Amino acid sequence: MGRFWFLLVGGLVLLVMLLSPWAVPLREFDGTGYLLNPLGAINPKGLSLPEGLAFNWLGVAFGFWVLLVLAAGGALFLPNAETRARVLYILGGLGLAIFAVEAILFYQAIHAANEAAVAAGARRPPLRRFALSLGVYAGFFYALGLLLLARMQLPGGLAFLVRFRGVVVPIVSLLLAVVLGAMVVAILRPGLGTQGVEGLGLRELIAGKLDLVTYTFQILFSPILNLTGIFTSLGFATPLIFTGLAVAFGFRAGMFNIGAPGQLTMGAIFAMLAGVYLPFPSWLLLPSAILAAALGGALWGGLVGWLKARFGANEVINTIMMNYIAASVLLFLIAANEYRFFGQTVRLPFKAEGFEGRSEEIQEGARIPLMIHILAPDSTFSWALPLAVLAGLGVYYGLRRLELGRRLLFALGALVLGFVVGGFLPGFPVTISSALASQLLNGSFLIAVMALLFYNFYLFRTSAGYELRATGLAPKAAEYAGVNLRQKMVLAMLISGALAGLAATHYVLGAGMDGTYRLKTAIPSSVGFDGIAVALMGQNTPLGIFLSATLFGVLLAGGVSLNAQLGISNQIIQVLQALIILFIAVGGLLPRYFTDPLRAAQVETEAKAEQEARQARSAPAAGD
Amino acid sequence: MEIVIALFFSTLRQAAPLLLTALGGLFSERSGVVNIALEGMILFGAAAAAITVNRIEVATGGLEAFWIPWVGLLVGALVGGLVGLVHAVASIKYRADQIVSGTAINIAALGAPSIVLQVLYNNTSTSQEVQNRLPNVDLGPSSVSILVIFAFLLVPVVWWVLFKTPWGLRLRAVGEHPEAAETMGVNVIRMRYTAVILSGVLAGIAGAYLSIGFLNQFIRAMSAGAGFIALAALIFGKWHPFGVLGATLLFGFAQALAIQLQGGDILPATIVQALPFILTMLVLAGFIGRSRPPAAVGKPYDK
């Protein structure tokens, strides 16, 4: 990458700063805002700020950024790489400092104005929706870019990036998807606050569009800002963890499982049948209902694995066909009671009374409680779960010396002990807001975490998992080493399907769909497809899957308010997912040494050799 | 007798989009690129065609003219081709996993039309109904859309192009042994680009047939698996135009039968709807004949 590209980026950043809103101190519910900009505020709808609120520092800050960009551009022409890196590090740090000062100044001014207004007798603070905006963010990302560029100047800089390609590729893909998604939004919707206003200049129109785009993503990411939002997000993330694990498990074993929607549906049907009809006592009922969900998914996935192993039938098309068939089975069971078979009337008992297609209610004993009830039953914080998790993890990581099986056993014991002891410890009362109490995040989230642990343990700590991964990486080599490929195909699809089926525990047993403990025809089976994005984004690693599922959970939760506030369909999240999948598939448009392991290894060895040569050269000099 | 005739014409109507899509997929797969994105290309084409026709009608105040649906068809085909280009760039230039890239397009095809529909019609699932549909051709007892005729006429044309022209020979060579073809002076990359874009255009036409020929509006996910069934027809038809014709007629017949049986008291509709998919799986498992794909299919080409 040439220096001139970098200069171009610097110019672009300054241009964005000139055109975009830097911060929005005041915003209406429909999105119309008062946009601050160094060239003067942009305010087409004529909103008025409270008396005495002024942001005179914007011009000064912009001046600093111009100097910074110029200095960074000049620094790249320094002859010595180490000086270059040092100067760029300093400039990047300075940029971050300017960003921090901007943020502090802005939020302080807002709070001061609000407090003044309340002291003067206002019933509510006048400024309720306010945030930094694109102009300030642009500086922040430019400063981060400078730090990265500084690292790139030092020896082994490229190898450094390549070594972290498992993180670099998803992040670059996410950024590209966000930019493209922003363009889609900007094309389709009018700029905020510019609709229906006559005689606007180009500057207002551009700022309005940029504000629209920024605000869209601010809303999408807003759920992370409060506890209720985090609960909502994790509720959306729970099924995504399951389906992401399902798809990733298939990938690891060299199978592309696009059948998670069908496997989820089958799991839901089995869970419903067990949860409604099994005449078990409650201690046995819940585990069997959960197992039934896994079993339903495993059957649906395993069948495809068997078809591939036995007949060589392509699993991609077969899993898709199984999705449609599962949807038909679901409708058949709970959309109607009466059917005509060859002139005979057949009655099915599964559909409950009423217009909607839904099953009977799950028995009390088979219901998974809400997370809020697990954490704080009867509005009293309980130590049971936190202590159990702490004890389990502590023992697992404390007993590293022990052989793995015993270590697990002890950890499990500590977990149970922690749960029991924590249950007896006196908790403390907490107040739960009604918004938080209505969140549908339930105990299924804990099952999802256990599924993550299982995935990690099975694939990376057992020989069976090792064989499975070997099958995925190099089937012929694995077969030569004695792995039974056909058996592994069936096994991989069985487990993958079971993981997808477990997602049904969230919807059916945990009432994660709409708060009712029933199976409904409207069960959102398409989260099975979302699992593909989760698996790719998480690079098939357990931590990655958890993080990317949470990210998509946040976006889905934000999509609800986006629809309510700006009238943009929450389908935008599906498009973002599709774009992320596409960009990861093309390796984030990055050079091939980021995607091709062989070339990556080449880059890393070259860097290592270079470093050793450098040390060899400097060693005699030090010895003198 | 009446029911047999109805079933016959219904089969033609159901088979036509499958046939168009499968013939497109034939080019793509014969050139060595797996195209699982056919489903999404149909949807993009269908949405583009219906929305174009509706916008023209709105702009002209409800004009009814013979050219309007043809413009819709053209836009549908172009958009299909564009989506094909995306798949081609991803899988040829950037050597992406072709199934992953195709899946991305299929997921986008579920979401992207909804965003446009929301802006234009304030709902996320259907477009407004159009007045100007593609013309029907009278065939005695019943009539079918002109695209149905086009689809069936296309079969011998594709056969001739693939097996009787130098271009077809090169295309097949590229899909079987790209290195050998390159040595003989064939531009592998360009052949693959052309083939994938062509498959997008044909899938886009199939989509336009669904939205402004068979029906009169776009409905979210209206292709209902047609792209995947077309892929299965490709395998079942042994990657040969006449084989594909037979396979799509079989699948079309299954779908027509499903429609005929609906509302009757022989089998419940929900079960009947699953029949084409079950049939597809039986076909893929090789219960009804075996087939061999082009040797280089799914493999990125590296010079």
Side-chain angles (χ1 to χ4, degrees):
Chain A
M1 202 175 90
R3 294 169 180 146
F4 296 96
W5 277 106
F6 175 71
L7 293 181
L8 193 73
V9 169
L12 207 67
V13 166
L14 291 181
L15 187 70
V16 166
M17 285 181 169
L18 271 184
L19 291 175
S20 64
W22 280 45
V24 184
L26 176 63
R27 197 187 282 284
E28 311 270 283
F29 183 76
D30 70 355
T32 313
Y34 185 101
L35 314 180
L36 298 179
N37 184 276
L39 299 179
I42 300 159
N43 185 17
K45 282 268 168 85
L47 306 177
S48 57
L49 290 184
E51 290 279 323
L53 187 61
F55 300 90
N56 303 322
W57 48 267
L58 283 172
V60 183
F62 182 67
F64 273 124
W65 283 113
V66 174
L67 289 179
L68 193 81
V69 169
L70 287 178
L76 265 197
F77 289 90
L78 290 172
N80 183 330
E82 300 210 346
T83 338
R84 222 160 43 215
R86 204 166 299 148
V87 173
L88 285 175
Y89 269 127
I90 293 171
L91 289 177
L94 267 181
L96 288 183
I98 301 177
F99 165 77
V101 170
E102 285 170 346
I104 292 169
L105 284 176
F106 174 72
Y107 285 112
Q108 266 191 346
I110 298 282
H111 287 299
N114 272 342
E115 274 169 25
V118 171
R123 267 192 303 130
R124 296 197 296 174
L127 305 173
R128 286 181 301 279
R129 277 193 196 80
F130 52 85
L132 295 173
S133 193
L134 188 59
V136 175
Y137 296 154
F140 175 70
F141 283 111
Y142 182 71
L144 283 187
L146 283 185
L147 293 179
L148 191 65
L149 196 69
R151 179 67 185 85
M152 296 286 292
Q153 304 301 318
L154 293 174
L158 183 62
F160 167 77
L161 268 191
V162 169
R163 192 172 330 129
F164 288 101
R165 62 185 182 278
V167 183
V168 171
V169 173
I171 287 182
V172 171
S173 302
L174 176 68
L175 288 180
L176 287 172
V178 163
V179 169
L180 215 61
M183 274 151 73
V184 170
V185 171
I187 290 169
L188 288 177
R189 305 289 302 184
L192 290 178
T194 57
Q195 206 174 15
V197 185
E198 300 274 321
L200 286 176
L202 189 60
R203 175 164 177 255
E204 277 93 351
L205 289 176
I206 292 178
K209 287 278 190 192
L210 290 173
D211 185 43
L212 163 76
V213 166
T214 316
Y215 191 46
T216 299
F217 282 97
Q218 277 177 342
I219 294 178
L220 279 181
F221 283 100
S222 63
I224 48 172
L225 296 178
N226 58 60
L227 193 60
T228 312
I230 290 172
F231 265 63
T232 323
S233 307
L234 288 180
F236 278 115
T238 305
L240 291 179
I241 294 176
F242 286 118
T243 54
L245 282 174
V247 178
F249 199 90
F251 274 140
R252 285 282 184 191
M255 308 273 279
F256 196 7
N257 179 10
I258 316 191
Q263 291 144 16
L264 189 161
T265 306
M266 260 348 212
I269 291 172
F270 273 57
M272 180 275 285
L273 291 177
V276 175
Y277 299 102
L278 277 186
F280 287 171
S282 73
W283 61 268
L284 189 60
L285 190 56
L286 180 57
S288 16
I290 294 172
L291 279 183
L295 183 69
L299 280 181
W300 219 239
L303 178 62
V304 174
W306 178 75
L307 283 173
K308 176 159 181 157
R310 177 72 181 76
F311 301 104
N314 183 305
E315 84 275 13
V316 173
I317 300 182
N318 266 339
T319 46
I320 295 169
M321 295 297 124
M322 296 287 273
N323 289 342
Y324 289 106
I325 298 171
S328 279
V329 174
L330 177 71
L331 284 180
F332 177 69
L333 288 180
I334 60 168
N337 285 117
E338 271 189 18
Y339 291 103
R340 306 273 291 167
F341 275 97
F342 303 101
Q344 310 278 318
T345 303
V346 176
R347 281 193 58 84
L348 290 178
F350 304 112
K351 180 179 177 295
E353 291 286 314
F355 171 72
E356 195 188 3
R358 54 179 195 173
S359 73
E360 300 287 346
E361 271 202 317
I362 305 291
Q363 305 168 58
E364 291 280 351
R367 296 182 188 178
I368 297 176
L370 289 181
M371 203 66 193
I372 199 75
H373 291 159
I374 298 175
L375 281 173
D378 311 319
S379 296
T380 314
F381 182 80
S382 156
W383 289 103
L385 186 64
L387 208 64
V389 171
L390 274 181
L393 284 182
V395 169
Y396 184 76
Y397 284 105
L399 297 179
R400 267 165 208 251
R401 293 272 179 85
L402 242 56
E403 168 241 344
L404 191 67
R406 289 195 178 173
R407 208 171 136 196
L408 270 182
L409 209 64
F410 280 122
L412 203 67
L415 192 97
V416 174
L417 194 69
F419 192 81
V420 173
V421 171
F424 282 112
L425 282 181
F428 54 87
V430 284
T431 48
I432 296 166
S433 69
S434 61
L436 191 58
S438 68
Q439 292 309 312
L440 297 174
L441 176 65
N442 57 60
S444 174
F445 176 70
L446 299 178
I447 304 177
V449 173
M450 281 187 256
L452 277 165
L453 294 177
F454 162 79
Y455 178 91
N456 189 32
F457 179 76
Y458 184 79
L459 277 183
F460 300 99
R461 295 278 183 279
T462 68
S463 56
Y466 179 80
E467 286 178 7
L468 214 59
R469 283 188 296 133
T471 311
L473 283 173
K476 282 182 182 155
E479 190 169 31
Y480 183 70
V483 175
N484 183 344
L485 289 191
R486 289 165 186 244
Q487 190 199 351
K488 290 292 166 197
M489 278 177 196
V490 182
L491 181 72
M493 285 304 290
L494 272 174
I495 297 180
S496 175
L499 288 167
L502 279 173
T505 57
H506 172 77
Y507 290 120
V508 180
L509 306 177
M513 197 163 84
D514 55 4
T516 51
Y517 290 90
R518 296 170 191 269
L519 170 65
K520 297 191 173 182
T521 51
I523 183 168
S525 59
S526 69
V527 296
F529 290 128
D530 304 346
I532 301 170
V534 171
L536 286 170
M537 180 94 188
Q539 301 278 306
N540 303 332
T541 63
L543 182 65
I545 289 168
F546 178 75
L547 290 179
S548 59
T550 311
L551 171 76
F552 286 125
V554 169
L555 291 180
L556 285 169
V560 178
S561 13
L562 184 68
N563 208 358
Q565 287 192 39
L566 296 187
I568 297 173
S569 164
N570 54 9
Q571 293 289 330
I572 184 90
I573 292 142
Q574 195 140 35
V575 175
L576 283 177
Q577 276 175 356
L579 289 173
I580 288 174
I581 297 177
L582 192 63
F583 281 124
I584 289 185
V586 299
L589 304 181
L590 292 165
R592 272 187 57 194
Y593 42 74
F594 280 101
T595 45
D596 190 334
L598 285 179
R599 298 192 184 200
Q602 198 182 350
V603 169
E604 287 187 45
T605 10
E606 276 169 16
K608 210 172 185 182
E610 196 189 331
Q611 210 160 11
E612 274 163 13
R614 184 185 299 269
Q615 273 168 3
R617 253 182 284 138
S618 62
D624 285 346
Chain B
M1 193 59 215
E2 213 169 284
I3 198 159
V4 174
I5 292 174
L7 205 55
F8 173 73
F9 280 102
S10 181
T11 302
L12 293 191
R13 286 187 206 106
Q14 296 296 326
L18 300 178
L19 187 54
L20 283 169
T21 315
L23 289 177
L26 186 64
F27 283 111
S28 176
E29 302 227 334
R30 277 284 187 171
S31 83
V33 179
V34 177
N35 197 344
I36 201 175
L38 289 171
E39 176 84 0
M41 292 168 179
I42 298 177
L43 283 173
F44 273 113
I51 290 171
T52 307
V53 171
N54 172 258
R55 286 293 99 183
I56 294 176
E57 285 173 355
V58 169
T60 56
L63 181 70
E64 296 202 15
F66 80 96
W67 55 269
I68 296 179
W70 294 102
V71 175
L73 177 67
L74 187 68
V75 174
L78 280 179
V79 167
L82 266 180
V83 179
L85 178 65
V86 171
H87 185 54
V89 170
S91 48
I92 300 167
K93 175 150 192 236
Y94 289 99
R95 309 159 39 86
D97 184 322
Q98 294 164 9
I99 293 176
V100 174
S101 152
T103 306
I105 290 172
N106 288 337
I107 294 178
L110 291 178
S114 291
I115 300 174
V116 179
L117 292 178
Q118 166 102 352
V119 171
L120 290 178
Y121 311 112
N122 215 7
N123 81 65
T124 54
S125 52
T126 58
S127 75
Q128 262 168 22
E129 296 185 1
V130 300
Q131 310 300 322
N132 293 285
R133 288 170 53 191
L134 288 163
N136 277 353
V137 178
D138 200 20
L139 288 181
S142 183
S143 67
V144 293
S145 170
I146 192 159
L147 283 186
V148 175
I149 310 284
F150 171 69
F152 285 96
L153 289 183
L154 201 57
V155 176
V157 176
V158 170
W159 171 78
W160 185 78
V161 168
L162 268 184
F163 294 100
K164 297 291 164 197
T165 65
W167 187 83
L169 179 63
R170 285 185 209 130
L171 187 79
R172 285 181 289 135
V174 163
E176 291 291 340
H177 202 316
E179 290 82 5
E182 185 87 42
T183 323
M184 298 304 289
V186 179
N187 188 336
V188 175
I189 305 289
R190 195 168 68 200
M191 290 303 282
R192 288 192 170 176
Y193 266 103
T194 315
V196 177
I197 292 172
L198 200 57
S199 78
V201 168
L202 284 174
I205 292 177
Y209 165 75
L210 289 180
S211 68
I212 59 172
F214 187 66
L215 293 178
N216 57 357
Q217 64 177 162
F218 172 77
I219 305 168
R220 188 173 184 269
M222 72 189 302
S223 53
F228 301 125
I229 295 181
L231 270 182
L234 210 51
I235 299 172
F236 187 28
K238 304 189 160 85
W239 287 270
H240 191 284
F242 291 118
V244 166
L245 174 67
T248 49
L249 278 175
L250 179 66
F251 287 124
F253 176 71
Q255 287 180 347
L257 196 65
I259 295 170
Q260 279 292 326
L261 288 173
Q262 261 174 41
D265 56 4
I266 299 176
L267 279 174
T270 42
I271 296 291
V272 172
Q273 276 159 4
L275 289 182
F277 303 114
I278 296 173
L279 179 66
T280 306
M281 291 186 64
L282 291 179
V283 166
L284 285 179
F287 292 133
I288 318 173
R290 285 216 158 261
S291 66
R292 187 190 71 83
V297 79
K299 291 183 195 128
Y301 176 65
D302 223 356
K303 260 191 207 178

